[in-house]
Amino acid sequence: MRFDSYHPAINLIYFVSAIGLALSFNHPVFVAVSYVCAFAYSVKLNGKKALIFNLCLIPFIVLYSLIYSSYNHFGVTNIRQNFIGNEITLESVIYGLVIGVIAASVIMYMSCVFAVFSSDKVVYLFGKISPKLSLFLSIVLRSAPRIKKYAGRINTAQKGIGMSPSQGSLFMRFKNACRLISVLITWVLENFVESAQSMKCRGYSLKGRTAFSIYRFDNRDRSFVVTIFLLLTITGAGWALDQTGIYYDPKIIMNDVTPLSYLFYAAYAALLLLPMILQIAGELKYKRLINEV
Amino acid sequence: MAHFEIKNLTFTYPTSGGKTALSDVNLKIERGEYVTVCGKSGSGKTTLLKHLKSVLTPHGDVSGEILFEGKPLSEVDLRQQSSKIGYVMQNPDNQIVTDKVWHELAFGLESLGMDQKTIRLRVAEMASYFGIQSWFHKNVSELSGGQKQLLNLASIMAMQPTVLILDEPTSQLDPIAATDFLNTVRKINLELGTTVIITEHRLEDIFHASDRVVVMEDGKIIADDEPHAIGAYLKEQHNEMFAAMPSPVQIYYGVDNELECPLTVREGRNWLSDVLQDKEMKVTSLVKKEADMDDVGTPAIILKELWFRYEKEAPDVLKGVNLKVPKESIFAIVGGNGTGKSTTLKAICNICRPYRGQVLIDGKRIEKYNSAELFKGNLAMLPQDPQSLFVKKTVGEDLAEMIPDGRFSSEEKESKVKETAEICDILHLLESHPYDLSGGEQQRAALAKVLLTEPKILLLDEPTKGIDNFFKLKFAEILNRLKERGVTILMVSHDVEFCAKYADFVGMFFDGNVITTNTPNRFFSQNSFYTTAANRMSRHVFENAITNEDVIELCKMNR
């Protein structure tokens, strides 16, 4: 039901469009929509922790706006002079706020990315570029925890004879730590030789390597693609009709809000909320089915 | 046409100074055979196996010929060799390349350039056959050693090899996982007709199942025959390899008789009944001189109700461990995997701090020692993985660094190193890199390093893991010598046979606790599952025969 059960390509399309659009729009309504959607989705995915984190971001938005406006003095609406005699303008404060909010939305989206993209999915997507690249990533993901574990083991072994980095005088500790690192490097090199042999044994150097994945592109993924592209097209039309344009310098100038504008806002919001809506709908349906039984 | 045919193969490593690693090896392996290659470590088993796959063949002078399915191996292309010749190595960890179980299963098939659909089916097939479904999506780092080795086997079998070569595949596994693994290999041989060529030091599990056993010595094949004949041959030649034979075979040749040689415990039981048929049983138990648990002064180690857990929320690993280890004895703790045996050792040398209970070393609480006092001349631990002790380029340097600077002159230092190296029988290895030694040699070098702290108490974690039977004999000698010099030895082991033979006391560890402590004689004769092969074989006639020698002696007394 969660978005991560979809095909990695779908996850990628969604997040690229969501983050790309959030970065390219600076029309206040669109910015607000991205912010609210990112906020809601990250809380839905990561719960209480995300809520606290997102709330902590708000002071930073305000802070950024204050800093921005004290260094940039474009605009015609003066609010007051600061202590060195420069004008603080309404336009620069608002523009600072807009940038701050955009940055916050992107950060919140990134937290969603981390929740949805497992290492498998990243490896898979790289495999589409080059099978060797994805294999390389997979090897790195395998080696890192292994090396860490072995470092722990050497440490324990050295402790058992009183020569670990946590025993003895300060000088001895330092010496012991150096020894540990040097032998760890030897160990890594030594063991990679054997891993390389095992790779060769299974035909690693043959031409025409493929990348296997456990993902399947099914009808659910197809309908998602159709929907998301429909919504993207509508949003794109809004952009073509200049609904997303705005000037902050020297004066805030934007197009009038017409009934049609609401269609564009709605399409953009729907685009961003799509995974969350699908997840909630899935959960509700599941609950209903369970209750019926 | 033979599956593999080796003709007059001679091989010399470039660095060996003219000493041949393989000399004039001739071997013919038919399709679907199960061939066991045995021999002491360093006899050329691994070198021979590596010649059966071109990518693994070491550099050096080669003469002779290897035919694979009638064609010279060098002419069989890489693609064919990759899929048809499967090779499983010793270390389960090093062979795994990717981070996910499913990806590892598919690795070889990806190399062969197969399409998604085929790979999907093959992987599914393998996962079902090997029972991997429940951990199919796991990270490889979460698997146990046995699971890892099974994964290696499965990922090779996915390429549908016609021959499977295994180089001591179970040396890093505990006995239960090892037996499981070997049974799976047997199943593949029987059900799929895959040819199996295997080297092993745990002959108990595969000797009886082999179609043929090949014995190697100094790079030569000295015997190549079916198992019964091999036993007879080795006995006749008074070959050292006889010590590696399964218990029933050793006992059989210890007793004069005309019956057929038993290979398994079941056959051994029947054989013993037949031998003693119509004989009046005069003696059914041996009188042994036994150490007494209570008749000793201050124990070297006392554990009083130790409780320990690794993390605050994690379950308890130690649940009130009580233990007394008498001075100058060899004390063995046996028990299953993950019951907390190793943790107990760590608690004794202060690596793990129990949250309740006391550790008394020599009657003094461990907290009262500072770490310099504790680890210089008092306590030392040999870890499960001896390799993790080494930190220098040569064994000699590694030993020398244990002696603190300043207190001794360089001559004194050298003589100390030499002396210890002699005790552990590694004098000839002082110039080698520690990582180049074999399992048994590493174990002894690590022991030497630990001994240089001059401990009164020696803690050993699985000291016989991955060591063949001769090294075990040597190792046991060293331990006995140390005991005579007043060292107390506490070891944790899966190796029932070793403990039965050499320990003075045995404790059974279960569920975070030492359930019972006794002398090996009483301990193993009470058990009916967790005991030695000799005891399982003879318990229906003798009361306390624990080792092969006991059974042989009792047999002789009753004839």
Side-chain angles (χ1 to χ4, degrees), chain A residues 120 138 142 146 153 158-160 167 179 183 191 195 198-199 201-203 207-212, chain B residues 53 79 93-96 98-100 102 104 110-111 113-114 116 155 375 381 385 388-390 401:
Chain A
D120 281 30
S138 178
R142 155 111 182 96
R146 237 187 108 198
R153 228 195 281 172
Q158 301 297 330
K159 253 189 199 168
Q167 291 161 314
R179 282 177 349 141
V183 80
N191 283 276
S195 298
S198 149
M199 286 165 75
C201 268
R202 286 182 281 162
K207 282 220 168 63
R209 176 174 197 82
T210 49
F212 172 65
Chain B
K53 187 153 178 154
R79 188 169 292 270
D93 252 316
N94 287 351
Q95 291 173 73
I96 298 178
T98 61
D99 62 328
K100 295 280 174 176
W102 62 264
E104 191 62 26
E110 287 181 336
S111 304
M114 292 191 174
Q116 285 281 330
S155 67
F375 291 108
M381 179 163 87
D385 172 16
S388 55
L389 266 182
F390 304 118
E401 73 140 18

Side-chain angles (χ1 to χ4, degrees), chain B residues 196-469:
Chain B
V196 172
I197 307 169
I198 184 169
T199 66
E200 255 299 334
H201 54 254
R202 298 170 44 84
L203 285 176
E204 295 84 10
D205 286 328
I206 59 167
F207 193 71
H208 63 93
S210 319
D211 294 315
R212 224 142 44 90
V213 179
V214 173
V215 185
M216 292 191 71
E217 199 175 87
D218 294 330
K220 291 190 199 75
I221 290 182
I222 55 165
D224 171 9
D225 216 326
E226 56 92 32
H228 288 99
I230 290 291
Y233 172 83
L234 292 177
K235 181 64 191 174
E236 202 178 295
Q237 299 287 315
H238 298 289
N239 194 295
E240 275 181 295
M241 263 307 290
F242 188 72
M245 292 289 113
S247 294
V249 179
Q250 292 195 36
I251 295 171
Y252 170 84
Y253 284 105
V255 180
D256 259 342
N257 69 99
E258 300 293 316
L259 300 167
E260 202 194 345
C261 177
L263 298 180
T264 60
V265 168
R266 186 185 66 180
E267 289 172 13
R269 274 177 87 94
N270 296 339
W271 167 81
L272 201 59
S273 307
D274 289 346
V275 166
L276 299 173
Q277 215 176 15
D278 339 308
K279 300 252 162 50
E280 196 194 334
M281 297 299 286
K282 284 170 277 182
V283 203
T284 55
S285 72
L286 287 173
V287 186
K288 294 179 192 173
K289 206 177 134 241
E290 282 183 16
D292 197 346
M293 291 274 339
D294 309 314
D295 173 44
V296 273
T298 335
I301 305 169
I302 303 176
L303 305 184
K304 283 187 189 161
E305 298 195 11
L306 290 192
W307 289 77
F308 177 77
R309 54 177 69 171
Y310 278 98
E311 273 154 44
K312 205 173 156 195
E313 301 301 322
D316 284 317
V317 182
L318 303 184
K319 301 175 186 173
V321 180
N322 281 312
L323 189 68
K324 268 184 202 159
V325 181
K327 263 187 191 152
E328 292 167 37
S329 66
I330 299 179
F331 194 111
I333 299 179
V334 296
N337 257 350
T339 45
K341 297 186 312 263
S342 298
T343 310
T344 309
L345 286 193
K346 286 182 192 160
I348 294 171
C349 63
N350 224 4
I351 294 173
C352 295
R353 298 273 173 102
Y355 66 86
R356 200 186 303 157
Q358 284 183 357
V359 180
L360 303 176
I361 305 291
D362 231 350
K364 190 169 147 191
R365 284 185 63 173
I366 196 160
E367 292 85 2
K368 301 267 167 69
Y369 291 91
N370 66 31
S371 97
E373 261 184 316
L374 198 59
F375 291 108
K376 281 276 167 270
N378 238 329
L379 199 68
M381 179 163 87
L382 184 65
Q384 203 175 116
D385 172 16
Q387 203 177 299
S388 55
L389 266 182
F390 304 118
V391 291
K392 295 282 178 177
K393 282 194 197 67
T394 67
V395 175
E397 282 179 44
D398 239 312
L399 296 186
E401 73 140 18
M402 291 308 292
I403 303 165
D405 295 320
R407 244 197 287 164
F408 300 99
S409 69
S410 59
E411 287 95 56
E412 272 180 309
K413 227 176 174 176
E414 205 168 305
S415 73
K416 262 184 171 256
V417 167
K418 281 249 166 73
E419 193 189 327
T420 316
E422 209 173 337
I423 295 176
C424 296
D425 205 4
I426 51 162
L427 264 180
H428 57 293
L429 300 171
L430 287 181
E431 297 304 314
S432 318
H433 193 284
Y435 283 27
D436 292 339
L437 309 184
S438 75
E441 290 167 343
Q442 273 188 358
Q443 190 75 30
R444 282 178 294 153
L447 182 65
K449 184 164 179 177
V450 167
L451 286 181
L452 278 167
T453 63
E454 296 171 353
K456 280 192 248 132
I457 298 167
L458 189 58
L459 308 173
L460 308 172
D461 195 353
E462 296 284 354
T464 57
K465 191 175 179 180
I467 301 188
D468 62 24
N469 281 6

Side-chain angles (χ1 to χ4, degrees), chain A residues 7-29:
Chain A
H7 194 270
I10 303 290
N11 301 145
L12 186 72
I13 295 174
Y14 169 74
F15 281 113
V16 166
S17 3
I19 294 173
L21 291 176
L23 282 170
S24 51
F25 293 153
N26 56 9
H27 187 286
V29 178

Side-chain angles (χ1 to χ4, degrees), chain A residues 77-140:
Chain A
T77 324
N78 292 340
I79 301 174
R80 49 171 287 201
Q81 274 190 346
N82 65 2
F83 63 97
I84 45 171
N86 282 333
E87 292 294 339
I88 303 291
T89 63
L90 181 65
E91 283 80 5
S92 65
V93 171
I94 289 179
Y95 191 62
L97 270 179
V98 166
I99 294 180
V101 171
I102 289 175
S105 330
V106 171
I107 291 172
M108 289 189 292
Y109 268 122
M110 288 316 277
S111 75
C112 301
V113 170
F114 285 120
V116 169
F117 269 95
S118 59
S119 62
D120 281 30
K121 293 195 165 187
V122 180
V123 169
Y124 168 78
L125 290 170
F126 274 101
K128 285 286 145 186
I129 306 168
S130 145
K132 289 222 162 152
L133 190 64
S134 82
L135 180 65
F136 175 73
L137 252 181
S138 178
I139 292 173
V140 170

